[in-house]
Amino acid sequence: MTGAMFDKVLIANRGEIALRIQRACKELGISTVAVHSTADAEAMHVRLADESVCIGPPQASDSYLNIPRLLAACEITGADAVHPGYGFLSENARFAEILEDHNITFIGPTSEHIRIMGDKIAAKETVQKLGIPVVPGSEGGITNEKQAIKVAGEIGYPVLVKAASGGGGRGMKVVTKESDLLSSMAAARSEAKAAFGDDTVYIEKFLTKPRHIEIQVFGDGQGNAIHLGERDCSLQRRHQKVLEEAPSPSLNADSRKKIGETVAKAMSELNYRGAGTIEFLYEDGEFYFIEMNTRLQVEHPVTEMITGIDLVLEQIRVASGSQLTISQSDVTFSGHAIECRINAENPRTFRPSPGRITYWHPPGGLGVRVDSGVYQGYNIPPYYDSLIGKLIVHGKTRNECLMRLKRALSEFVIDGIETTIPLFNELIRQPDIANGMYDIHWLERFLGKP
Ligand code: MV4
């Protein structure tokens, strides 16, 4: 089935991702509507859009997260579709549902799929039934203390108590022995209740030294689904990714093919539409599902660089009703890509560093991509997250990619604010990074060393 392409897309986001989406729209001949808060009147995503609408004061809850104001902006401009980007309303099932009720296409999965995957227990149950390997643990939520003791005893300590509505690591408690289980579970419950208004928890085997490997999937909601390989996102600090790469230095072509095919088949059976990411912990050669993200991710460019596939363009195509035009056998992986998240932060304390960029000189040359929404003279507002750009480098081999990254980082000049660039200069000189020998704890251990 082939639907009619959209005439006008409203982009419900800001910064680099708003620009990234505009670029895809322009290449498809679609006109773009930017929305912005009063703090973002001078932002590049507003300047480059065909039209723009101010949707409220700086605070995100009054602007980028305000559904009635976004609907009004759609109505005023006559947009046929909304791309939510990442963060903000991108995984809000209610928003997707409301748009559909107003005959505006949400560029993403169905609200039903968003809702299922937003509930970590339902997500795990759903994907397990579809043949995806999961972390051993409780079947569903824990309802009483006796059951908790029994389940934890069966899977063996250490265990991890997780919140069903969690994600981003909130409401998690590691338990090393039975005598700590009930008090830790009570603590996890009350944390979850306060953070999410839901105190449902579940128990899993705690994996002590995994890597975070996620598989990019893509479906058309018409039964066709493919995988686009993995990204290794193990280098994180406080659940914020810092550097991502594809392919993972720890996977071979056989294990990539096996997990990729399992995941693609599951997404086809689920009739999944759009871009999605299946997050796994990978330890001792085994994959364990933890969560699914039903949106485009910050780190999607590393996948684009090694596959040559424009993920945002494909998102727009399938949202308009087109079938996937790429089959699994069309997907080939070429070379290696690394992304560094350039944040306006102190590179050691990670304290935000908003303010005016007095000088901006991004790197260039073969295999170098900079996705950013800032410019020289731009004043970074203090109200939003501190990502100001992404440096993505591609090379024929991981080694070439690292050499090129070193060169690109040395060219990058940003004055007036602090950025995470000096951290990356340090990281690429670490033997463990050069050798691809790191797990999810490596970065915090490195940062903790004097
Ligand atoms: C785990 C785990 C170990 N064992 N689950 C952290 C956030 C959420 N997405 C899941 N998380 C983890 N789940 C089991 N059974 C360790 C983490 C974890 C982590 C995962 C990915 C990347 C960085 C991390 C840092 C600390 C803990």
Side-chain angles (χ1 to χ4, degrees):
M1 205 174 71
T2 314
M5 187 43 77
F6 310 120
D7 293 319
K8 197 184 273 191
V9 168
L10 182 142
I11 300 159
N13 216 301
R14 62 184 300 283
E16 68 87 19
I17 198 62
L19 275 185
R20 169 71 190 84
I21 298 160
Q22 279 186 35
R23 288 177 175 138
C25 290
K26 283 178 194 179
E27 290 179 19
L28 286 165
I30 299 169
S31 71
T32 57
V33 180
V35 292
H36 66 90
S37 70
T38 52
D40 277 340
E42 303 300 318
M44 204 56 156
H45 79 275
V46 177
R47 294 188 179 186
L48 289 182
D50 294 308
E51 290 172 79
S52 65
V53 182
C54 179
I55 51 166
Q59 192 134 60
S61 55
D62 298 324
S63 52
Y64 299 103
L65 288 169
N66 189 299
I67 295 174
R69 288 174 181 202
L70 286 162
L71 280 179
C74 288
E75 175 139 344
I76 291 164
T77 57
D80 336 283
V82 171
H83 196 307
Y86 52 67
F88 295 126
L89 295 168
S90 60
E91 291 179 290
N92 186 310
R94 187 74 193 121
F95 182 52
E97 204 168 62
I98 290 170
L99 286 176
E100 297 299 350
D101 288 347
H102 287 77
N103 274 319
I104 300 163
T105 304
F106 176 78
I107 301 177
T110 61
S111 56
E112 190 197 341
H113 284 154
I114 298 173
R115 195 166 279 125
I116 292 170
M117 298 307 171
D119 175 338
K120 306 304 161 197
I121 293 175
K124 193 175 172 183
E125 251 166 29
T126 303
V127 306
Q128 185 173 26
K129 283 196 188 117
L130 294 167
I132 293 178
V134 302
V135 190
S138 56
E139 263 179 57
I142 293 287
T143 51
N144 65 70
E145 300 191 334
K146 247 179 83 181
Q147 182 203 8
I149 293 166
K150 183 165 178 281
V151 166
E154 277 165 11
I155 60 181
Y157 291 86
V159 299
L160 190 58
V161 181
K162 290 183 169 181
S165 304
R170 283 202 295 180
M172 291 197 331
K173 290 273 177 274
V174 180
V175 185
T176 54
K177 53 186 191 299
E178 188 178 294
S179 58
D180 290 342
L181 180 63
L182 297 181
S183 62
S184 293
M185 201 170 77
R189 271 199 205 285
S190 69
E191 243 177 64
K193 185 81 189 171
F196 317 108
D198 170 14
D199 68 356
T200 313
V201 297
Y202 61 111
I203 295 180
E204 282 184 350
K205 176 82 192 165
F206 178 62
L207 302 175
T208 55
K209 46 174 182 35
R211 299 177 76 114
H212 172 127
I213 296 184
E214 54 184 39
I215 312 282
Q216 177 71 55
V217 292
F218 213 95
D220 62 10
Q222 303 179 51
N224 305 301
I226 57 173
H227 76 88
L228 301 175
E230 81 284 6
R231 295 181 287 260
D232 197 316
C233 307
S234 301
L235 290 173
Q236 310 206 4
R237 177 188 173 268
R238 298 191 182 168
H239 305 292
Q240 294 292 312
K241 292 167 187 163
V242 170
L243 177 152
E244 306 95 347
E245 63 178 314
S248 170
S250 68
L251 273 199
N252 60 37
D254 281 349
S255 27
R256 171 172 311 111
K257 188 162 185 280
K258 183 161 175 273
I259 190 69
E261 283 174 358
T262 301
V263 161
K265 182 167 174 286
M267 290 305 114
S268 151
E269 281 172 32
L270 196 60
N271 221 3
Y272 187 76
R273 181 183 70 213
T277 299
I278 321 280
E279 292 188 354
F280 290 97
L281 297 177
Y282 181 71
E283 192 174 83
D284 299 329
E286 301 289 336
F287 282 95
Y288 304 93
F289 169 89
I290 44 171
E291 284 169 32
M292 176 168 183
N293 302 316
T294 54
R295 54 170 157 78
L296 185 73
Q297 293 203 248
V298 176
E299 60 273 21
H300 77 278
V302 295
T303 299
E304 296 187 321
M305 300 300 270
I306 65 160
T307 61
I309 294 169
D310 183 330
L311 281 169
V312 181
L313 185 134
E314 296 301 334
Q315 280 189 299
I316 298 169
R317 275 196 188 142
V318 301
S320 76
S322 290
Q323 282 194 344
L324 265 181
T325 52
I326 310 157
S327 69
Q328 193 64 58
S329 56
D330 297 331
V331 180
T332 54
F333 301 105
S334 165
H336 198 96
I338 298 179
E339 172 179 281
C340 295
R341 294 194 186 193
I342 313 297
N343 292 347
E345 289 172 351
N346 176 283
R348 214 67 208 194
T349 63
F350 298 88
R351 203 176 77 102
S353 176
R356 194 168 303 278
I357 297 177
T358 56
Y359 191 80
W360 171 258
H361 179 82
L366 182 64
V368 177
R369 166 175 172 182
V370 177
D371 279 16
S372 175
V374 307
Y375 52 86
Q376 188 161 309
Y378 178 66
N379 192 7
I380 300 160
Y383 309 103
Y384 313 104
D385 79 45
S386 54
L387 184 85
I388 57 163
K390 306 184 300 204
L391 169 61
I392 309 108
V393 170
H394 182 261
K396 283 194 287 292
T397 61
R398 188 168 187 271
N399 203 41
E400 186 180 282
C401 187
L402 282 167
M403 303 287 279
R404 188 163 279 157
L405 178 57
K406 197 177 201 174
R407 185 275 287 174
L409 285 166
S410 74
E411 280 178 33
F412 214 150
V413 186
I414 306 173
D415 288 340
I417 55 159
E418 290 187 292
T419 77
T420 44
I421 290 174
L423 170 66
F424 294 114
N425 274 320
E426 240 190 298
L427 287 182
I428 56 170
R429 286 167 174 78
Q430 301 304 311
D432 284 346
I433 302 299
N435 298 323
M437 301 277 283
Y438 55 84
D439 63 19
I440 61 171
H441 305 295
W442 190 93
L443 183 60
E444 289 190 3
R445 217 174 283 137
F446 172 78
L447 292 167
K449 284 177 191 158

